[in-house]
Amino acid sequence: MSKTDSLTDNEAAARLEWLATEIARHDAAYHRDDAPEISDAEYDLLRATNRALEKQFPHLIREDSPELAVGAAVSDAFTKVQHRQPMLSLGNAFAAEDVAEFDERVRRFLSLEPDAPLAYTAEPKIDGLALSLRYENGALVEAATRGDGRTGENVTANARTIANIPETLSGDAPELFEVRGEVYMSHADFAALNARAEAAGGKVFANPRNAAAGSLRQLDSGITASRPLRFFAYGWGDVSMVPGETQGDVLRSIGAWGLTINPAMALCDSPDALVAYHADIEAQRATLGYDIDGVVYKVDRLDYQRRLGTVSRAPRWAVAHKFPAEVATTVLDDIEIQVGRTGSLTPVAKLRPVTVGGVVVSNATLHNEDYIAGIGGDGEPIRGGIDLRVGDTVQVRRAGDVIPQVINVDLSQRPKDAKKFVFPDTCPQCGSAAVREEGEARRRCVGGMICPAQAVEALRHYVSRDAADIDGMGVKQVEAFWQDGWVREVADLYTLEANHGDALRSREGWGEKSATNLFAAIDARRTLPFARFLYGLGIRHVGRTTAAMLGRAYGSWQAFEAAMIALAAGDEEVRETLLGIDGVGGVLADTLASVFSEAVTVEHLDRLKAHVIVEDAEAIAEGGVFSGKTVVFTGTLEQTSRAEAKAKAESLGAKVAGSVSAKTDYVVAGAAAGSKLKKATALGVTVLSEDDWMRMADS
Ligand SMILES: [Zn+2]
């Protein structure tokens, strides 16, 4: 917890105000929207900080203090269900001593001798959503959420869509039986759901529990049905008959009726055995495939459970043994900048090693420069708008296998000489400019091919189909040659045979033939069309169309490069000309200027051009047969690629469209042309065979 001794009244009041707003916001996000932004541990920390401050500054307690607010109300969207037996919560244990104390309490209450036999069931505590299923004469009649424990929400229609909740119980189920358990989503299903949501531009869920809660509390059960929810039974509520003498017996009966009970449930006969079970489950935590936040122990004998009863809405006969908190306090020793494969700069916190949730953490992501400055995604202040400085005492969070994050700063511990962090504007790997474009959270190194961090990606791009298109050079080969130091930049491809030919021919998995084929494929690309060459350089914002457009505008590589170097030197006239080209905007002009302002980049281009001849781009033909016409390609072209045909048509002044309409002038139909050809015929558009097209284009 943060040290608050040195706070003035003003500072404390400001913090309390921030905490009240922050906690209210997280309450709404959690309860109303099922979309929390922080972990439970972080939330608890905010609440604890607030309580500590209120205790120390009682005269500053606010009217809207989070401590005075009431708990989550049941949503009006669902009908209410009064639980006939309350859905209880569990007391918590955090350490082995707490477990021993729990055992002592139970023995004391039951007047058992310390060595009298006393068994407990132990099972993982699923981090999901509690659900009560009411079966009458073996048929599911009602499903309700926990709500506040007394009143829950009726989610029967939704629960019916969960695959492992049976509609009817098999075997000799009692007349009335309420099964209680947890609805959850597996890690794999959660990842797939979020991937689908992301692909569809939808909202992603923060964690599996919220995905499960958000899915179960849908007004449209059709949506719930599309979500892969599952259910583990762990107890019971209102029942006409209890089928057994122990917790374990009853759960096995519930399992026999067709519900799923946790296969990891075990019987333990001592506090030591419980603690060993806890350690065993914690070790399996990452591989269970679903989230758990601890294990639950229950006195096995039901006659004991009845005698023990409940105290303040928690049973005396059960306890939740939680896993260690996933938030810890440590010191931010340094901020390091990492460069990704595509050039984005990511700041990483170098932390004094600290154990968080049972794992030693010494690195944490800081996302981007705004995050360091205390600014969140929408310009909203995070951490109360407090920036991170090297030397700061910070709180670190780790949740499951998620990358650890720095979530809070303790200002009272900030060293006097701590300086605001200045985010570098050059790449730490290659020294090129690191540019932050408008609307982007991260800076990017413009070094591309010459940046070691981006080299493999740059090489892969250069050899790809739409660029140099070198057969036999895939990601695997690029990575292997890079590892060996044979190909560190694109120019090295063209000296591969001269420098490493013999080695490659005798290399395992290669042999004479494939090596010779590769060298031939490389040789075939010693001459490249302007657009392919420029596109192959992998400059940001220079896609195939832009590369072709720049080619048509400048004609020769020599003219283009000279213009770009002048642009980089600040030549306004060149910039005007560039911006005058249809489709060129300020962002592209800025990018080109920063790329060509790097001497290393220009030197690398010189090395590359020693091996590659860049063909002049074809200027747009005026008055040709395709000039100003709209052309559509369809079917499989056999003599050229679709990309090449498109470039050719554009060089002849045509506009290439993707679909046929009345405005289409020509449809070039390759093999197996389908609906577009049909439509063209129906609209009376001139249809050309691939041969017709080639002949007319070359004439
Ligand atoms: Zn770089």
Side-chain angles (χ1 to χ4, degrees):
M1 187 154 314
S2 55
K3 236 172 83 184
T4 52
D5 304 346
S6 53
L7 287 184
T8 64
D9 269 18
N10 273 343
E11 284 167 339
R15 272 210 196 183
L16 283 167
E17 182 185 357
W18 179 73
L19 284 162
T21 319
E22 197 64 5
I23 291 169
R25 192 166 69 79
H26 291 306
D27 279 342
Y30 184 95
H31 293 300
R32 202 188 54 216
D33 309 330
D34 288 324
E37 293 155 27
I38 59 176
S39 71
D40 290 359
E42 278 172 79
Y43 177 82
D44 291 346
L45 196 81
L46 288 174
R47 297 288 299 235
T49 309
N50 187 70
R51 274 195 300 276
L53 271 174
E54 289 188 348
K55 203 170 158 202
Q56 199 186 343
F57 300 91
H59 56 293
L60 297 177
I61 293 177
R62 301 168 58 83
E63 247 171 55
D64 62 351
S65 160
E67 294 310 304
L68 304 175
V70 289
V74 169
S75 163
D76 288 336
F78 296 91
T79 58
K80 293 180 175 66
V81 171
Q82 299 292 330
H83 295 301
R84 292 158 185 93
Q85 293 283 334
M87 291 182 80
L88 303 170
S89 49
L90 296 178
N92 288 329
F94 294 98
E97 301 91 81
D98 301 340
V99 177
E101 254 172 51
F102 166 67
D103 179 67
E104 280 162 27
R105 267 201 316 273
V106 168
R107 286 174 184 279
R108 224 174 17 244
F109 194 94
L110 297 172
S111 306
L112 294 179
E113 294 299 319
D115 55 352
L118 178 59
Y120 297 93
T121 60
E123 63 185 313
K125 185 174 186 299
I126 313 298
D127 196 8
L129 185 72
L131 186 67
S132 182
L133 302 170
R134 188 176 175 88
Y135 285 90
E136 288 177 7
N137 300 314
L140 177 64
V141 295
E142 188 180 82
T145 62
R146 179 202 296 273
D148 63 3
R150 306 247 168 218
T151 309
E153 294 161 330
N154 187 330
V155 291
T156 313
N158 295 345
R160 287 189 201 282
T161 70
I162 298 175
N164 70 341
I165 291 182
E167 197 54 40
T168 52
L169 299 181
S170 56
D172 54 348
E175 202 180 316
L176 165 66
F177 202 93
E178 269 181 19
V179 179
R180 294 204 169 150
E182 200 89 350
V183 173
Y184 69 99
M185 194 178 282
S186 75
H187 289 158
D189 288 337
F190 169 70
L193 175 69
N194 263 358
R196 281 202 305 276
E198 207 163 359
K203 199 179 83 172
V204 298
F205 287 103
N207 57 50
R209 182 186 54 197
N210 292 104
S215 302
L216 186 66
R217 297 173 71 248
Q218 283 288 336
L219 293 177
D220 175 0
S221 60
I223 296 177
T224 311
S226 72
R227 304 277 175 80
L229 296 176
R230 299 178 204 209
F231 180 79
F232 271 131
Y234 55 59
W236 58 95
D238 193 21
V239 297
S240 59
M241 190 269 279
V242 178
E245 312 259 292
T246 63
Q247 177 79 20
D249 282 348
V250 178
L251 282 183
R252 275 184 290 276
S253 290
I254 292 174
W257 299 336
L259 284 139
T260 310
I261 58 171
N262 199 302
M265 190 174 72
L267 199 66
C268 300
D269 59 5
S270 69
D272 287 347
L274 292 176
V275 170
Y277 178 86
H278 181 268
D280 183 38
I281 294 295
E282 190 175 8
Q284 295 177 47
R285 193 176 182 184
T287 53
L288 282 175
Y290 48 85
D291 276 352
I292 59 174
D293 56 0
V295 296
V296 176
Y297 311 137
K298 291 175 181 168
V299 172
D300 193 37
R301 276 176 61 166
L302 297 183
D303 57 336
Y304 284 173
Q305 286 192 8
R306 281 188 283 270
R307 281 170 61 194
L308 284 155
T310 60
V311 57
S312 64
R313 298 171 71 182
R316 280 196 193 86
W317 43 267
V319 72
H321 189 180
K322 296 292 200 70
F323 292 136
E326 298 194 317
V327 173
T329 300
T330 187
V331 174
L332 177 61
D333 276 336
D334 199 5
I335 295 175
E336 202 178 88
I337 308 294
Q338 288 181 355
V339 187
R341 293 168 63 89
T342 56
S344 62
L345 270 57
T346 306
V348 175
K350 305 312 266 183
L351 304 164
R352 207 155 293 171
V354 64
T355 304
V356 193
V359 171
V360 177
V361 166
S362 53
N363 292 317
T365 179
L366 294 173
H367 304 290
N368 54 54
E369 57 188 302
D370 281 352
Y371 191 86
I372 296 175
I375 304 166
D378 306 318
E380 290 283 314
I382 49 171
R383 300 185 302 267
I386 300 166
D387 65 317
L388 293 174
R389 299 184 184 184
V390 171
D392 269 342
T393 295
V394 294
Q395 268 141 7
V396 182
R397 168 183 69 171
R398 188 185 143 269
D401 44 11
V402 173
I403 305 163
Q405 288 186 304
V406 172
I407 53 166
N408 245 325
V409 187
D410 187 348
L411 270 188
S412 66
Q413 306 276 353
R414 173 165 282 176
K416 287 210 162 43
D417 57 349
K419 286 187 193 66
K420 247 195 161 60
F421 181 74
V422 181
F423 204 91
D425 55 7
T426 55
C427 171
Q429 292 275 332
C430 71
S432 299
V435 176
R436 183 174 178 187
E437 287 175 9
E438 214 182 302
E440 294 275 319
R442 290 195 183 163
R443 283 180 184 271
R444 248 168 227 283
C445 162
V446 301
M449 310 200 118
I450 58 110
C451 181
Q454 301 175 64
V456 169
E457 182 61 23
L459 284 162
R460 190 202 57 73
H461 179 76
Y462 183 84
V463 300
S464 69
R465 250 186 79 171
D466 292 324
D469 189 20
I470 296 178
D471 256 358
M473 275 295 280
V475 181
K476 244 173 62 190
Q477 290 78 10
V478 164
E479 269 169 5
F481 293 154
W482 161 263
Q483 292 290 338
D484 295 342
W486 290 3
V487 179
R488 282 291 162 97
E489 59 175 51
V490 175
D492 296 341
L493 281 171
Y494 295 100
T495 54
L496 182 64
E497 183 173 15
N499 293 338
H500 307 283
D502 292 340
L504 188 65
R505 285 187 185 94
S506 57
R507 190 178 170 129
E508 209 184 306
W510 275 85
E512 182 70 37
K513 188 156 181 277
S514 45
T516 305
N517 286 346
L518 177 65
F519 298 140
I522 292 170
D523 286 342
R525 298 294 183 261
R526 287 182 189 271
T527 300
L528 285 175
F530 184 110
R532 280 179 176 269
F533 182 75
L534 175 55
Y535 171 69
L537 298 182
I539 297 169
R540 197 161 154 75
H541 303 303
V542 181
R544 283 182 296 167
T545 312
T546 305
M549 185 178 74
L550 290 169
R552 288 196 294 276
Y554 288 93
S556 74
W557 181 265
Q558 200 185 359
F560 173 72
E561 193 178 323
M564 292 307 108
I565 289 169
L567 172 78
D571 189 322
E572 276 304 316
E573 211 172 306
V574 170
R575 190 179 165 89
E576 284 308 307
T577 312
L578 179 64
L579 289 172
I581 300 169
D582 191 26
V584 176
V587 172
L588 176 60
D590 290 344
T591 304
L592 289 168
S594 40
V595 167
F596 283 88
S597 66
E598 302 293 342
V600 271
T601 297
V602 177
E603 285 160 18
H604 170 251
L605 274 175
D606 288 342
R607 288 195 294 279
L608 182 53
K609 283 182 300 172
H611 303 286
V612 181
I613 297 163
V614 184
E615 291 174 328
D616 288 353
E618 290 170 64
I620 297 172
E622 299 280 332
V625 62
F626 291 108
S627 176
K629 304 292 187 193
T630 300
V631 180
V632 173
F633 291 95
T634 183
T636 311
L637 300 183
E638 272 148 9
Q639 303 175 48
T640 57
S641 71
R642 183 74 73 87
E644 191 175 344
K646 181 171 184 277
K648 178 84 181 170
E650 282 168 350
S651 75
L652 296 172
K655 183 173 171 288
V656 178
S659 61
V660 177
S661 74
K663 289 185 185 144
T664 309
D665 295 295
Y666 296 103
V667 166
V668 179
S675 60
K676 285 180 194 171
L677 175 57
K678 262 195 205 138
K679 193 166 178 194
T681 317
L683 290 170
V685 174
T686 309
V687 175
L688 303 177
S689 70
E690 188 177 357
D691 285 339
D692 294 339
W693 147 253
M694 296 288 278
R695 198 165 12 85
M696 285 165 72
D698 288 335
S699 66

